[in-house]
Amino acid sequence: ERVLVVIQLGGGNDGLNTVVPFADDAYYRTRPTLAVPAKDVLRLTDLTGLHPSLVALRDLYDRGAVAVIQGVGYPNPSRSHFRSMEIWHTADPEGRVVRYGWIGRYFDSKCPICAQPTVGVNVGPSLPLAMQASSGQGIALQTPETFQWMPSLRGIGAQEELDLFRLLNAPGPSASGEAETIDFLRHTAMNAVLSSERVREAVGKYRGGIQYPNSRLAASLKLVAQMIAGNLPTKVYYAHMTGFDTHAAQRGAHEGLLRELAEAVAAFIRDLEAQGNASRVLVLAFSEFG
């Protein structure tokens, strides 16, 4: 019953100012104004440490709950944001045309739970390429309240419209030659309805008690925590942070982004610990250049 939570740091996070090689003179020679002073680095080893804005992650590291993987890349790296992100999403450094992502291929693997639409949940308007699957599994939502079929009418008319919607998508006989298409549409519609009900039911079980920061990532991770607490049968959750394309005036902007990341993740882990779910959840943060 293990769960993976992916956090995409869109824009190309500056890895050298995130995990700082403070013992390497070349780092300070090539970054005379941008380098993090060695005295400020949150040391992990005698060679590397974290940016001071990541103090919340340093606390988790000291407890053995954080791992840092350096030097992750692919041969002949592209400096294109779009191409690099495509490679990470598809796990295909050869540049072939790949329609499905590395997570989506897991959904297609016929694992015991992979037949359920809620096997993967993206917090956002649409599924990322990483979650695209030939099976069509995986859902995208921004809030549980809006993740449902909404009648266009109000009052009594709304109930009549809802009844018609259910009748339209109920299993039934189809005309010859249309059966396969109609059955597919009905099955897709009912999967959406059932997924919507399951998500709202799971979130409704959440009791809370953990204070989250006021940020978009924190709100996304809180929603993920709610779904995990409600025992939604989801194997992979996906959340997003943007703004890491810091070409100019990086110092202040990057500090704020890293602080937002660290504090959101720390609150999420505290929530999982309070639920008793921390030991079965892994959080993976990545950016297109590492």
Side-chain angles (χ1 to χ4, degrees):
E1 297 185 349
R2 292 176 180 171
V3 176
L4 173 67
V5 178
V6 179
I7 301 176
Q8 177 176 310
L9 308 179
N13 178 44
D14 180 356
L16 289 175
N17 272 25
T18 301
V19 181
V20 184
F22 67 87
D24 192 333
D25 290 340
Y27 169 72
Y28 290 99
R29 286 198 306 272
T30 54
R31 295 189 169 202
T33 60
L34 195 59
V36 179
K39 64 180 180 60
D40 297 333
V41 173
L42 304 173
R43 300 194 177 196
L44 304 179
T45 70
D46 291 338
L47 302 175
T48 59
L50 295 178
H51 188 286
S53 290
L54 294 173
V55 62
L57 288 189
R58 165 63 186 272
D59 294 342
L60 291 172
Y61 180 89
D62 290 342
R63 290 164 41 194
V66 168
V68 177
I69 306 175
Q70 288 185 283
V72 178
Y74 55 88
N76 305 311
S78 166
R79 297 188 181 186
S80 161
H81 288 274
F82 302 102
R83 185 73 191 102
S84 295
M85 191 61 86
E86 186 178 65
I87 287 172
W88 289 122
H89 277 243
T90 60
D92 177 44
E94 302 303 321
R96 297 166 295 185
V97 178
V98 179
R99 295 173 56 194
Y100 307 120
W102 66 274
I103 301 171
R105 295 201 292 278
Y106 165 67
F107 297 163
D108 290 335
S109 70
K110 310 300 182 186
C111 72
I113 204 172
C114 287
Q116 300 195 38
T118 51
V119 63
V121 175
N122 174 68
V123 181
S126 60
L127 288 179
L129 175 57
M131 297 180 79
Q132 294 292 333
S134 63
S135 61
Q137 305 296 20
I139 61 175
L141 63 92
Q142 292 179 289
T143 67
E145 296 75 25
T146 57
F147 182 57
Q148 57 183 307
W149 185 79
M150 309 289 283
S152 59
L153 301 175
R154 296 288 182 269
I156 297 176
Q159 186 58 50
E160 291 178 349
E161 195 176 354
L162 181 59
D163 292 341
L164 286 171
F165 175 79
R166 289 173 174 166
L167 179 63
L168 180 67
N169 292 293
S174 303
S176 177
E178 297 179 350
E180 186 174 342
T181 300
I182 296 298
D183 287 346
F184 171 77
L185 292 173
R186 284 173 171 161
H187 181 72
T188 301
M190 289 313 299
N191 271 347
V193 171
L194 291 174
S195 299
S196 168
E197 292 173 351
R198 286 175 181 167
V199 167
R200 292 199 306 279
E201 180 184 356
V203 170
K205 297 177 181 178
Y206 180 73
R207 295 295 172 262
I210 301 298
Q211 187 69 35
Y212 278 80
N214 183 24
S215 70
R216 179 173 296 182
L217 178 64
S220 296
L221 292 180
K222 183 177 181 179
L223 177 55
V224 172
Q226 291 171 338
M227 290 184 277
I228 292 174
N231 295 315
L232 196 68
T234 298
K235 301 301 293 181
V236 183
Y237 293 94
Y238 207 101
H240 306 258
M241 239 188 112
T242 59
F244 286 89
D245 193 9
T246 51
H247 279 279
Q250 174 179 293
R251 186 179 296 277
H254 196 232
E255 288 175 1
L257 289 165
L258 293 182
R259 185 176 300 107
E260 178 181 336
L261 170 67
E263 292 179 354
V265 170
F268 179 61
I269 298 301
R270 287 197 302 272
D271 201 342
L272 295 177
E273 289 173 342
Q275 298 175 19
N277 283 319
S279 63
R280 69 184 187 96
V281 178
L282 175 70
V283 180
L284 165 68
F286 83 102
S287 194
E288 57 257 53
F289 299 133

